[in-house]
Structure formats: structure tokens, C-alpha cells
Amino acid sequence: MARRKSLAAQLVQAFRDNQKAKAAAVKRAEEERARRARAAERAAAERVKEDARREREQAQTWVRTQKEKQALQSSESRRAEQIVRDLEKREAARAREAEQKRRAEEREKAAAERRAKQERAESLRREAEVRTAEVAALVEQLGTVLRERPGDLNDHRPEVERALGDGDLEAFALRVEGALARIEYPAGLVGARRAGFAPETRELMLETELPAQTVVPSVLGYRFRASAPPAVVPQPRKEAECKALYRDLIARLALRAIDEAFAVTPPALVDSVAFNGIVRAKDRATGKAIEPCLIGVRVSRETFGELVLDEPELDPVRSLHYLNAVVSQHPYDLEPVPPVVHRRGAREVEGAAGERGDGSAPAVARVDRRPAAGVGDRVVLSIPRRDT
């Protein structure tokens, strides 16, 4: 009985599967018909789009053709107008040429005179420009003398140190002077340097000759004056500007001299510099030669190292005040200040640094620190003049 039921169930199941297969086949057929219908619709839509695209392209082609025809017509019209203008210009040029030939003989002499005057005026203008450029270059040179320092000065240190290693203080000072003298400066800005050394304080005493006021151009520039006769005339610089330029220049030179003194000497031997900046001039009242001190400063290597000398915005006058320097209030008028280093007339220094074995004064070795108003301690240093 169980087998019969199982067979009947099998038949029922086979019938059901057959019905499902038929239904699936019908469904697939319907889906295929729907897919084909959709494909036909898409193809029809594509044909419509293609037709529309062709129509647009034809329309665009027609528009471009019309524009090209219009552009060609406009270009031909412009060329025709240009030909007419050229013909008119040539005719006018021929007429002018004929008129010029007719008047050439009458104007030749006058033209030659005018050319000569113009050439003279142009020559004077160029001269004014060149001289003005020279003045501007000189002023720029004065303003950059501090930043344009040589960078190989440390190479002098071994030579300077060997001189002191022999125990000869004078040779040490001479080597320092020689090293500083070999440094190149712009023309007119370098002066004599005299050095001394106090070993017990590790202080280098330096006196530098600063340039006179005439190094500052007294003119702003030159201009051409179309007068009768034409001439090149100077444009005076204001006295206040001359004074400011000179004050700025000697401050830059002082800072550069101190920087170079530290550069050529070993830090182990020289810890500070006592600096005097003097000017050789004539006393206007007596006519005698004078050497007023315009800048005096004593500064340690560490303090001086705080300055950024290559900074374009550095104010050299303020830098000297920062170093507690004594600076002349009116350097352009050669108003002196008390020197930090005082010369006597022979290469020796008054003070208590001892004597040589033969009883003579040691060369630049003895220091006399006596108070000087407004300066602090003053080093009295004797430095001789050597014939050059």
C-alpha cells in the first residue's frame, strides 16, 4: 500500500513539474517578446535621433557656409578699401615728396643748424644723465660699504697669532695693521689704521682714519638746461642730507673696521676692541692740521656679535648707540668727542703693564685707564706715525 501511494505521489509530482515547466516556457516566451518589442522601440528612437542629428548638422553646415560667404565678402570689401587707402597714401606721399624736393634747398641750411643744436643738446642731456648716474652710484656705494665686506678675513688669524707667539707685541700690532691694510675698500673710503694691544685685558686698540666730508656728493645730480647757451647745471643736495649721509657713512665704516678687527684676530687673544675714528682736516679758524675724533667705542666680541651687520634695515648710528659709543653730534662740522684711545707720539702705552727686561717700555703693552667724562675708562695708547 505504501508503494502505491509513493507511485501516485510521484505521478502527481511529475505532473506538477510538467505544468511548472510549461508555465516557465510561456513566461520566457513572453519576456522574449517584450525584450524584442523594447529593442524595436529603442531602434526606432535611435533612428529618430539620428535623423534629427543629421538635420542639425545640415542646418549647422548651412549656417557655417553662410557665415563663410559673409566673411569672404567682408574681407574682400576690406581689401578693396585698403587698396583705395594705399593708393591715396601713395598719391599723398608723392605730393609731399614733390613739395619737399621743391623746398629742400631752402631748408637745407636751417636743417643743418637745427641738427647741430639738437646733437649738442642731446650730448648735454647724456652728460647730465651719466653724471647723475655716477652720483647715484657713489651714494649707493656709501650705503653698502658695511654689507660688502670680504668673507675670508679669518685666514689672517694664524699669521697674527704667530706674531704674538714670539712675545713681540709690536709685531702683533703691526701684523694686525698689515692684515687690515690689505682689505680692499671703495676708492676714497680707506684710511690709515694704527693698532695697539693690551694683553692683560685682551683688548685691541684701533685707531682708523675716516674719510673727510668731501666724500659725500654735494649734488643730487645734474640736469640739462635748455638756455642760451644750453648747459649742464648741478642740483645741490640739501646740507641736512649731506650731514645725514656723512653721519651714516662714518658709522658704517666704524662698524666695519671693528668687525674686521675681530675677524683678523683670534678670539682667544682679543676679547674686545677700543676704537677711535678720526678725520684729518684743517682747523678753519687757525689753518692748522687737526685730527678730531668723531667716534669712540669700546666693545666686547660677544656684544658686537649681537649685531646683524648684513641686515639692509640696520641703522648704523643706532647700532653705535646700542654699543654705548660716543658719537659726535655734528660730525660733518668735525665736532670732536673724547677719544677712547689716546695717542702720545711713540709706539708705547702709559700704564702699569710692566717693562721689558732692558728697562724700556714694552711696545703697545702698557695701558693707563683713566676716567674720561662721558666715555668711561679711557685707554691712553701711544701709536707712532710711520712714513708711507
Side-chain angles (χ1 to χ4, degrees), residues 25 45 77 79 151 178-179 307 348 367 372 383:
S77 176
R79 281 199 296 271
L307 300 181
E348 57 186 20
V367 179
I383 306 175

Side-chain angles (χ1 to χ4, degrees), residues 153-169:
L153 298 183
N154 292 347
D155 297 341
H156 295 282
R157 288 180 177 179
E159 178 185 358
V160 172
E161 189 172 8
R162 282 195 299 271
L164 188 62
D166 298 334
D168 192 342
L169 298 178

Side-chain angles (χ1 to χ4, degrees), residues 30-51:
E30 291 177 353
E31 289 177 349
E32 179 64 20
R33 286 193 296 274
R35 184 185 65 76
R36 290 179 179 178
R38 289 194 298 271
E41 291 176 357
R42 284 196 297 271
E46 289 294 332
R47 286 194 295 274
V48 171
K49 289 182 180 179
E50 182 65 19
D51 293 341

Side-chain angles (χ1 to χ4, degrees), residues 284-296:
R284 296 180 181 178
T286 64
K288 295 181 178 181
I290 57 173
E291 293 184 357
C293 177
L294 302 184
I295 298 175

Side-chain angles (χ1 to χ4, degrees), residues 71-122:
L72 180 61
Q73 293 174 355
S74 176
S75 176
E76 291 176 351
S77 176
R78 287 196 297 271
R79 281 199 296 271
E81 293 174 356
Q82 184 63 41
I83 291 172
V84 172
R85 286 195 295 269
D86 291 342
L87 290 174
E88 292 175 349
K89 288 181 180 179
R90 283 197 291 270
E91 291 176 358
R94 284 195 292 268
R96 288 195 299 270
E97 184 178 357
E99 183 68 15
Q100 290 172 355
K101 288 181 179 179
R102 186 177 67 83
R103 298 182 179 180
E105 294 181 358
E106 298 177 358
R107 297 182 303 185
E108 184 175 356
K109 184 177 180 180
E113 293 177 354
R114 286 195 299 272
R115 283 196 299 271
K117 290 180 179 179
Q118 291 173 355
E119 291 175 359
R120 172 62 177 166
E122 186 62 26

Side-chain angles (χ1 to χ4, degrees), residues 17-61:
D17 293 341
N18 186 32
Q19 293 297 318
K20 289 181 178 179
K22 289 180 180 181
V26 171
K27 184 177 181 180
R28 284 195 298 272
E30 291 177 353
E31 289 177 349
E32 179 64 20
R33 286 193 296 274
R35 184 185 65 76
R36 290 179 179 178
R38 289 194 298 271
E41 291 176 357
R42 284 196 297 271
E46 289 294 332
R47 286 194 295 274
V48 171
K49 289 182 180 179
E50 182 65 19
D51 293 341
R53 183 183 64 78
R54 282 197 296 269
E55 290 177 358
R56 286 197 302 272
E57 289 180 351
Q58 291 174 356
Q60 292 172 355
T61 302

Side-chain angles (χ1 to χ4, degrees), residues 12 52 70 116 135 248 304 307 375:
V12 171
Q70 293 176 359
V135 172
D248 183 83
F304 191 80
L307 300 181
V375 186

Side-chain angles (χ1 to χ4, degrees), residues 221-361:
Y222 296 84
R223 64 180 179 85
F224 169 71
R225 185 179 65 190
S227 57
V232 174
V233 295
Q235 294 178 288
R237 190 183 302 274
K238 293 181 180 180
E239 185 178 5
E241 185 179 355
C242 291
K243 293 180 177 181
L245 286 174
Y246 185 67
R247 181 186 300 110
D248 183 83
L249 171 63
I250 63 173
R252 292 182 190 277
L253 291 174
L255 292 174
R256 175 168 173 172
I258 296 172
D259 179 72
E260 291 169 348
F262 280 130
V264 301
T265 54
L269 297 180
V270 175
D271 182 62
S272 62
V273 169
F275 173 84
N276 277 352
I278 66 167
V279 175
R280 291 185 181 181
K282 297 290 184 181
D283 191 327
R284 296 180 181 178
T286 64
K288 295 181 178 181
I290 57 173
E291 293 184 357
C293 177
L294 302 184
I295 298 175
V297 60
R298 174 179 287 110
V299 60
S300 67
R301 189 183 292 267
E302 180 181 1
T303 301
F304 191 80
E306 296 176 1
L307 300 181
V308 184
L309 300 182
D310 294 325
E311 170 57 46
E313 297 183 5
L314 180 76
D315 186 334
V317 177
R318 290 189 178 183
S319 296
L320 287 177
H321 289 312
Y322 173 79
L323 300 177
N324 293 323
V326 181
V327 183
S328 172
Q329 293 294 320
H330 305 285
Y332 196 79
D333 299 325
L334 302 182
E335 181 179 294
V337 297
V340 176
V341 179
H342 188 70
R343 284 188 291 108
R344 286 302 187 191
R347 182 178 284 276
E348 57 186 20
V349 183
E350 299 178 4
E355 296 183 349
R356 293 180 177 176
D358 58 0
S360 60

